[in-house]
Amino acid sequence: MNILYISISGNTRAFVKNLQDYATAQHQHDQNHPEIHLKEISEASPETQENEDFFCFVPTYLEGGNGIDNGTEEIMTNAMREYIEYGDNASHCLGIVGSGNKNFNNQYCLTAKQYAAEFHAPFITDYELRGTKDDVARIYQILETQSIKN
Ligand SMILES: Cc1cc2nc3c(=O)[nH]c(=O)nc-3n(C[C@H](O)[C@H](O)[C@H](O)COP(=O)(O)O)c2cc1C
């Protein structure tokens, strides 16, 4: 199972690494459970064509506004948007997992929802900041189910 992610202050990176460790433990217990391969996207990443399906993990960074009628300008994470826009990459995207901070109210996880609409991929779920152990187990199970369906 492949995960592409972007992380500016490290929360998403920490979460997907926990998810990868969890997947490895699950796989060791029962090889039917998939391991996770991670790929970090940043402004320095060359845009390349993905040949395998992947899930995208994206935090939300928006400038100002309330997320309903304004303030939806994406900042910091644009490299991920451009990466998915490249070539046929969007067609390999099985879904988007969003993160953010609930203090942002209506803007909570909005970037993931915007990606889902733009790339015609499901918005899979969300978690806050670095997530919890429960989020790791919950999200692994959702990804596993989604990747079997595809
Ligand atoms: C300038 C700035 C703007 C942010 N805007 C939002 C927002 O609009 N909605 C949201 O849910 N979280 C927002 N956040 C919170 C981040 O999405 C959250 O801290 C996330 O865990 C960061 O992930 P990262 O450490 O992997 O970069 C914002 C954080 C900063 C610093």
Side-chain angles (χ1 to χ4, degrees):
M1 187 191 294
N2 300 305
I3 291 178
L4 265 52
Y5 70 97
I6 188 164
S7 187
I8 313 305
S9 69
N11 289 345
T12 309
R13 188 179 303 113
F15 185 76
V16 295
K17 289 201 166 145
N18 288 338
L19 200 58
Q20 184 180 46
D21 289 346
Y22 182 83
T24 301
Q26 295 290 109
H27 182 77
Q28 279 167 359
H29 181 68
D30 173 353
Q31 296 200 347
N32 288 317
H33 293 300
E35 290 184 287
I36 288 179
H37 306 280
L38 298 177
K39 179 166 172 179
E40 180 164 358
I41 303 299
S42 73
E43 289 197 0
S45 310
E47 288 174 347
T48 50
Q49 177 65 56
E50 291 295 318
N51 296 315
E52 292 182 21
D53 291 344
F54 62 86
F55 294 100
C56 164
F57 278 57
V58 65
T60 302
Y61 288 87
L62 296 170
E63 202 153 56
N66 60 17
I68 299 173
D69 45 25
N70 58 25
T72 56
E73 198 195 332
E74 181 179 4
I75 52 170
M76 319 294 268
T77 52
N78 309 67
M80 179 59 96
R81 175 186 295 278
E82 286 156 17
Y83 193 90
I84 302 178
E85 280 169 352
Y86 182 82
D88 275 342
N89 284 347
S91 68
H92 286 293
C93 182
L94 297 178
I96 319 282
V97 177
S99 60
N101 181 332
K102 287 186 176 163
N103 290 342
F104 286 86
N105 299 313
N106 291 318
Q107 286 189 188
Y108 174 61
C109 290
L110 192 56
T111 299
K113 292 173 187 166
Q114 291 172 334
Y115 280 20
E118 179 177 340
F119 299 122
H120 306 291
F123 170 77
I124 292 187
T125 189
D126 62 82
Y127 64 93
E128 207 178 358
L129 300 168
R130 288 191 175 212
T132 63
K133 276 191 172 176
D134 284 353
D135 288 325
V136 169
R138 174 178 67 83
I139 292 177
Y140 179 76
Q141 197 169 28
I142 299 174
L143 298 186
E144 192 175 16
T145 309
Q146 289 282 334
S147 59
I148 292 165
K149 272 201 278 175
N150 280 277

